[in-house]
Amino acid sequence: MKLIKFSLTPPIVAISALFVSLCACGATKRYVSTDGSYGADVEGAKCYTTLQDAIKACVAGDTVWVKDGFECTPEDGVDTTDSDTSTIRIPAQITLRGETGNWQTGPIIRGRWDGDTLATAVGPNAARCLYITTKNTKVIGFRLLNGATVSGENGGGVYAGGRAVVTNCFIANCAASYGGGASLKSASLYSSVVSNCYCSSQASGVYWPSKTVDTLIIHNSGGPAWNYSGNSS
């Protein structure tokens, strides 16, 4: 299965006032960019060049702003706290925010396939893009690409629980046994796109969502449809 390029119009580009206010409430704002500079408007604030380092420095309530154009991959280091591997893990209740909140231009968190094709992506050397372990975490305006899990695990692009909210994100070319694009146990997905993802068992698009709103789930493939699968016809 070949990778697909997208030029879709976002279902909702603007972030609602609710999510903007949630981003603004962090105790500390931290910044991430490729070159360690975020702009004159935050001059003097610490700017990280590694996203996981910025996240590890956070406590509950903090906000991490990530520059559009930034990209992190498993080669930058992965988290192996749990039974499988993720490029980025969020262990504290924070807001992770792309610079503009637009999934078409947002920063990229890239995972890793085990095999050379999407259908063989699941395996022992795979890495999902993003793993969220804490309640009420917010992720806004990211592109989650080429993630996968070990066999039997959920959410190749993102695994989220505990009433987390993922919004204005683009999840593509990801694979898992369950929920090729996303697994959202008690979490919600808003105004996003989940496309060209694959599952070997159930739910090629989205598995176990608490709520899915204004989200395009399209061109996904694999095992039997279940729970917002979004299998292509």
Side-chain angles (χ1 to χ4, degrees):
M1 184 177 294
K2 65 181 181 180
L3 304 187
I4 297 176
K5 293 184 178 180
F6 297 87
S7 58
L8 301 173
T9 301
I12 297 178
V13 173
I15 304 295
S16 69
L18 169 64
F19 294 118
V20 172
S21 65
L22 287 169
C23 287
C25 68
T28 300
K29 293 181 180 179
R30 305 180 191 277
Y31 301 90
V32 180
S33 71
T34 302
D35 63 2
S37 174
Y38 204 89
D41 53 334
V42 297
E43 189 171 352
K46 181 174 178 58
C47 187
Y48 296 79
T49 56
T50 303
L51 178 55
Q52 192 67 69
D53 286 347
I55 291 171
K56 286 180 179 178
C58 289
V59 297
D62 285 357
T63 299
V64 177
W65 289 81
V66 185
K67 194 86 168 175
D68 285 359
F70 178 86
E71 179 174 346
C72 60
T73 71
E75 284 66 39
D76 300 324
V78 294
D79 182 271
T80 56
T81 302
D82 300 282
S83 59
D84 55 343
T85 299
S86 302
T87 301
I88 294 296
R89 181 176 183 266
I90 303 179
Q93 181 185 323
I94 65 170
T95 295
L96 181 62
R97 173 75 153 85
E99 180 183 13
T100 61
N102 185 338
W103 63 257
Q104 289 186 309
T105 59
I108 293 172
I109 301 175
R110 196 177 295 276
R112 180 176 62 217
W113 293 356
D114 181 72
D116 295 329
T117 67
L118 191 59
T120 61
V122 172
N125 295 312
R128 76 160 55 84
C129 301
L130 179 62
Y131 189 61
I132 302 170
T133 63
T134 50
K135 294 181 179 180
N136 302 318
T137 292
K138 316 295 185 298
V139 176
I140 304 169
F142 277 78
R143 290 177 283 174
L144 308 178
L145 307 177
N146 300 92
T149 67
V150 300
S151 181
E153 289 293 337
N154 304 342
V158 56
Y159 177 90
R163 298 191 300 276
V165 173
V166 178
T167 183
N168 284 63
C169 286
F170 180 61
I171 304 169
N173 304 324
C174 296
S177 293
Y178 302 90
S183 180
L184 305 169
K185 189 175 182 180
S186 302
S188 300
L189 183 66
Y190 290 86
S191 307
S192 296
V193 175
V194 181
S195 189
N196 200 42
C197 295
Y198 173 85
C199 73
S200 57
S201 293
Q202 291 181 335
S204 57
V206 180
Y207 182 64
W208 244 353
S210 172
K211 185 182 294 184
T212 303
V213 179
D214 292 326
T215 291
L216 182 63
I217 304 172
I218 189 172
H219 300 315
N220 302 292
S221 61
W226 191 76
N227 210 353
Y228 291 92
S229 174
N231 278 336
S232 59
S233 58

